Amino acid sequence: MKLLALGAAAVAGLALTAGTASADELPSFDFTDCPAPPANADPGTWRCEAFVSQGKLTIEGREIPLGEMRLTFSEGRVSGQYAQAFGALRHEPVRVPGLAGTTLQLRYGGYSDFQSNDARRGELDVYAVLRHPLLRKECSIGTAAAPLHTVVHDDPALPPTVLSKNPPTFHFGVVDPGLALPATQGCGPLGKLVDRQLGLPSPSEFRQTTYVQYKQL
């Protein structure tokens, strides 16, 4: 599920819709996880982007609300070339409809690319940890070694909107309509039951609405 991504290069090339939002309508942005610019970074070119998103995963027509996700990364230039550094993906466990007592938590899968182009908004590898007293602790959809690869595109229903120029703040939607979810792994004897209840393996759709704010580094 490659979430989010509205990189600097993308913002520069977009005809963004103007908008306004009061302070109490915006989420709080946390830059604690921002990676510092590398030692050889071009001075004055680096900034951190903090995302606050609400997502949902649709499997065979059934929605799993994913709640709030927070992501940070830094970007800038090194020797005149675009570069980026991943910060963190933070996601609290959410209940899984149809599986009483089961929670799902997204974790970073080790790869990200938030430099947008004409083909997509960005890419991110993640995996989903499933927790239940009767499931083994290794139970997951995808793994750290074999994560889910998401490629997100602009959601026409929620085009990018400028909410503030100082600090730069935006609102937009993304969707990955072609995310293929495998069967669960490491769940133990109840793994097949979980797969049946979730309809796995299966094509799925990942959709996200996101606020992002920039901070110069």
Side-chain angles (χ1 to χ4, degrees), residues 79-122:
S79 300
Q81 300 297 312
Y82 177 82
Q84 56 188 296
F86 186 80
L89 169 65
R90 298 191 179 275
H91 179 235
E92 293 296 321
V94 295
R95 293 182 179 180
V96 180
L99 287 173
T102 304
T103 63
L104 178 151
Q105 182 183 35
L106 294 179
R107 295 184 180 177
Y108 179 53
Y111 173 81
S112 62
D113 183 0
F114 299 122
Q115 186 178 27
S116 303
N117 56 38
D118 292 339
R120 88 291 186 273
R121 173 65 58 202

Side-chain angles (χ1 to χ4, degrees), residues 57-89:
L57 183 63
T58 303
I59 307 172
E60 293 188 337
R62 184 174 61 180
E63 290 186 0
I64 299 178
L66 297 176
E68 182 179 275
M69 292 165 279
R70 289 178 174 264
L71 183 148
T72 52
F73 79 99
S74 297
E75 63 180 359
R77 293 192 172 274
V78 174
S79 300
Q81 300 297 312
Y82 177 82
Q84 56 188 296
F86 186 80
L89 169 65

Side-chain angles (χ1 to χ4, degrees), residues 1-179:
M1 291 170 239
K2 213 139 240 178
L3 319 124
L4 324 154
L6 190 68
V11 173
L14 282 174
L16 295 172
T17 305
T20 58
S22 63
D24 59 354
E25 293 177 319
L26 293 175
S28 61
F29 295 95
D30 187 353
F31 293 91
T32 304
D33 294 321
C34 292
N40 58 344
D42 294 353
T45 65
W46 280 73
R47 70 180 182 185
C48 182
E49 303 193 15
F51 295 84
V52 183
S53 305
Q54 293 285 333
K56 64 180 179 180
L57 183 63
T58 303
I59 307 172
E60 293 188 337
R62 184 174 61 180
E63 290 186 0
I64 299 178
L66 297 176
E68 182 179 275
M69 292 165 279
R70 289 178 174 264
L71 183 148
T72 52
F73 79 99
S74 297
E75 63 180 359
R77 293 192 172 274
V78 174
S79 300
Q81 300 297 312
Y82 177 82
Q84 56 188 296
F86 186 80
L89 169 65
R90 298 191 179 275
H91 179 235
E92 293 296 321
V94 295
R95 293 182 179 180
V96 180
L99 287 173
T102 304
T103 63
L104 178 151
Q105 182 183 35
L106 294 179
R107 295 184 180 177
Y108 179 53
Y111 173 81
S112 62
D113 183 0
F114 299 122
Q115 186 178 27
S116 303
N117 56 38
D118 292 339
R120 88 291 186 273
R121 173 65 58 202
E123 303 181 21
L124 181 71
D125 281 1
V126 299
Y127 61 102
V129 174
L130 296 171
R131 289 284 185 263
H132 185 280
L134 299 180
L135 296 175
R136 292 178 179 170
K137 64 179 182 179
E138 298 85 4
C139 185
S140 65
I141 305 171
T143 65
L148 310 171
H149 182 67
T150 66
V151 181
V152 297
H153 307 267
D154 289 330
D155 184 351
L158 192 58
T161 301
V162 179
L163 300 179
S164 170
K165 293 183 178 180
N166 186 24
T169 308
F170 303 86
H171 186 218
F172 63 97
V174 293
V175 59
D176 181 352
L179 177 63

